[in-house]
Structures are given as C-alpha cells and as structure tokens.
Amino acid sequence: MTITTRSIAQHESEWIYSTFLTKQLNLSSLNDYIHQIPQVPLIVELYIFLCGYAFNPTMVPLWLGLVNVLTRTGLSDNAAVKFSGTTINEQWGKLLLTIDSNKRGLLNMTFYLATVLVTLLFTELGKASFATTRPKIPTTGYATILNADDDNNNPIKWKRRFGSLVASLKSKHSFPSGDSSQAMNLCLFFLRYVPTTSTSATMIHLGSHAIPVRDVALFSLFLPGVVFARVFYLCHWIEDCIGGVSLSLLIHWLIIPILRENIVDLARSLNLI
C-alpha cells in the first residue's frame, strides 16, 4: 500500500505537467517520492511546518510588522549605511533616509503589503486560468499505515503532523503555487527594499558587494523550505512551486518597479518625502 496522490499518467494528462521540464527532470517521479516520505523526526517537521505555514493568510500581520520594525531599526541617521549588493537597494535606502524615522517603517510596510496583494492577484488569476488539480489527500487523512509488502509485513506509518494546519485556507486549484510566489516576493523585497546599517559582521562580502546574512538565509534556507513544504504536505506539485517562484521574479521585474514609483508619488502627495 502506498499514498496515491494520483498516477503519473493522470498527472501528466494536464499539459502544464507534461512539459519538457517535467519530463527531462523526471518531476512526476520526484513528486511521488516526496509525497511517499513516511514521516520525519518532529524537530525536522517543525522546520518544514514553519516554512509551509509561513504564508497562510493569518501570518500576513507578522510579515508586515517585521518589515516595519526592520526598516526602522535597520536604517540609522547616525550610522554608515551598509546596503546590500543591489543598486535598487541602495537607491531605496537613500530615499528612506530622507523620510522621518517614524514614517519609514510605515511606508515600507505599505509597499510590502502592495506587493503581497499584487502577487496574490496574479497567482489567483493563474490558478483560475490553468485550473489544475492539487494532489489528492488520502481518505485516512494525514496519518495512515503503509505496508512494505503485500503480506502486510513491516508496517510503516505515513504521517504529516501539521498537515491540516498547512493545508488550511488553500484555494481550489494548484498552479502556480501562491505560497512559493509569496516566499520569493518576500526574499526579493528584503533584498531590494529593506536596507540595513548592520556591521560588517552580519554581511557576506562577494567582491565589491555586501549581502546581509539575513538575505542569504532567506534565499538558501527559507525559500527552499517553503517549496519543499508545499510538496511534502501534499498541497502542491513541484511544477507549481517552480511556476510560483518564476511568476514572482517576473512580477518584480515588470510590475513592482511601477508600483514602487506609485508608492513614492503617494508618499510625496502626503508630504512624507
């Protein structure tokens, strides 16, 4: 007995899951492998859970508050500003320094909220357009007994301790992954728009560029954790997560710069700048 989210043939019957990328990387089999993982130690699953639950709608106030606090504390009028290795980050940081310290956090928080809503809009439009099928949750829920052979020997317990929590409030369709899009949006927003005056001890130097350890951790630990968690908890296929990350990159390339200018114009009209 195994966990059957649906057969490879069924999965690849939807064109978005039968692309060159899916077949060349054998993603259908990799999806099945991750879905079949019986269970992991509690401490490991806590990490997976925190990543998988990070962009549940109930968590939005936490991220907004974090952007607010880090923007206010990360920029000091009396310190030499250490910007990350992007021109956009330096330009935005210098702009924030022209604003009253008590209003910087509010402006950046409003900007981040706008990026969240734009990302949500496009992911939901994508889901409605592609109308793809999510992995099937076992009829026994997130805990069941597997057997290693047909004689019911060597029973193995398949379990997702936080499955119901991670899967709560999810929409009907699968592609692209909204959580993966939001995770990439957060990583890019921090890299580009949350400057820091931290000391060199909290920076990683790459040639002439200095990248905050915070941003390195987001891209190397947090983003992959979110992607894995969405597949591990049977919320998505790997292709959904690739699509979500790619969509967020596209949004930050084409739309967020325009949104940024509108935010600046709004700030000027309110005499914040």
Side-chain angles (χ1 to χ4, degrees):
M1 178 181 176
T2 59
I3 297 299
T4 305
T5 54
R6 66 174 173 170
S7 69
I8 291 177
Q10 288 175 317
H11 180 61
E12 294 185 352
S13 66
E14 297 184 74
W15 75 267
I16 198 67
Y17 300 131
S18 60
T19 63
F20 176 82
L21 179 66
T22 295
K23 293 180 177 179
Q24 287 298 113
L25 298 181
N26 199 19
L27 294 183
S28 294
S29 296
L30 185 55
N31 279 314
D32 187 60
Y33 176 80
I34 296 174
H35 291 162
Q36 297 292 336
I37 296 174
Q39 62 178 335
V40 296
L42 178 59
I43 188 65
V44 175
E45 188 165 355
L46 280 173
Y47 161 69
I48 299 172
F49 161 68
L50 290 174
C51 291
Y53 192 73
F55 295 99
N56 185 282
T58 61
M59 299 296 289
V60 172
L62 172 65
W63 295 118
L64 291 174
L66 190 61
V67 169
N68 189 347
V69 170
L70 290 180
T71 300
R72 287 189 289 107
T73 60
L75 282 175
S76 171
D77 298 320
N78 301 318
V81 180
K82 305 283 187 180
F83 295 104
S84 75
T86 66
T87 302
I88 293 175
N89 185 281
E90 184 170 357
Q91 292 171 343
W92 187 251
K94 290 179 179 178
L95 174 66
L96 290 174
L97 281 171
T98 66
I99 305 173
D100 180 84
S101 60
N102 293 325
K103 297 177 181 178
R104 292 172 192 157
L106 179 61
L107 176 65
N108 230 18
M109 185 176 70
T110 302
F111 183 20
Y112 174 64
L113 177 60
T115 68
V116 168
L117 294 176
V118 168
T119 302
L120 176 65
L121 172 64
F122 279 93
T123 53
E124 289 305 312
L125 285 174
K127 289 176 189 290
S129 300
F130 292 104
T132 53
T133 308
R134 288 185 183 271
K136 181 182 177 181
I137 306 300
T139 56
T140 53
Y142 290 97
T144 189
I145 298 297
L146 306 181
N147 291 292
D149 54 46
D150 295 334
D151 296 325
N152 294 329
N153 295 321
N154 304 316
I156 302 172
K157 190 171 186 178
W158 182 91
K159 189 175 183 178
R160 301 289 186 266
R161 297 176 181 87
F162 308 105
S164 297
L165 272 175
V166 174
S168 63
L169 302 179
K170 67 181 181 182
S171 54
K172 179 179 179 181
H173 298 299
S174 187
F175 184 93
S177 166
D179 286 65
S180 298
S181 291
Q182 293 292 354
M184 189 56 157
N185 175 54
L186 180 80
C187 291
L188 289 172
F189 190 88
F190 270 66
L191 179 67
R192 291 181 162 192
Y193 303 114
V194 184
T196 177
T197 53
S198 300
T199 63
S200 59
T202 60
M203 294 284 186
I204 293 179
H205 296 273
L206 302 173
S208 60
H209 301 304
I211 310 295
V213 172
R214 171 199 72 194
D215 296 338
V216 174
L218 282 173
F219 278 97
S220 63
L221 297 175
F222 180 66
L223 179 60
V226 172
V227 168
F228 179 80
R230 300 309 291 175
V231 181
F232 179 78
Y233 282 109
L234 278 64
C235 296
H236 283 288
W237 313 97
I238 296 171
E239 297 94 325
D240 302 333
C241 299
I242 294 174
V245 168
S246 301
L247 175 61
S248 187
L249 283 168
L250 192 63
I251 291 171
H252 269 264
W253 179 35
L254 297 176
I255 298 175
I256 300 305
I258 299 173
L259 182 63
R260 181 185 67 224
E261 296 307 314
N262 288 331
I263 292 290
V264 170
D265 289 342
L266 176 62
R268 288 195 174 113
S269 70
L270 296 175
N271 296 319
L272 293 176
I273 302 176

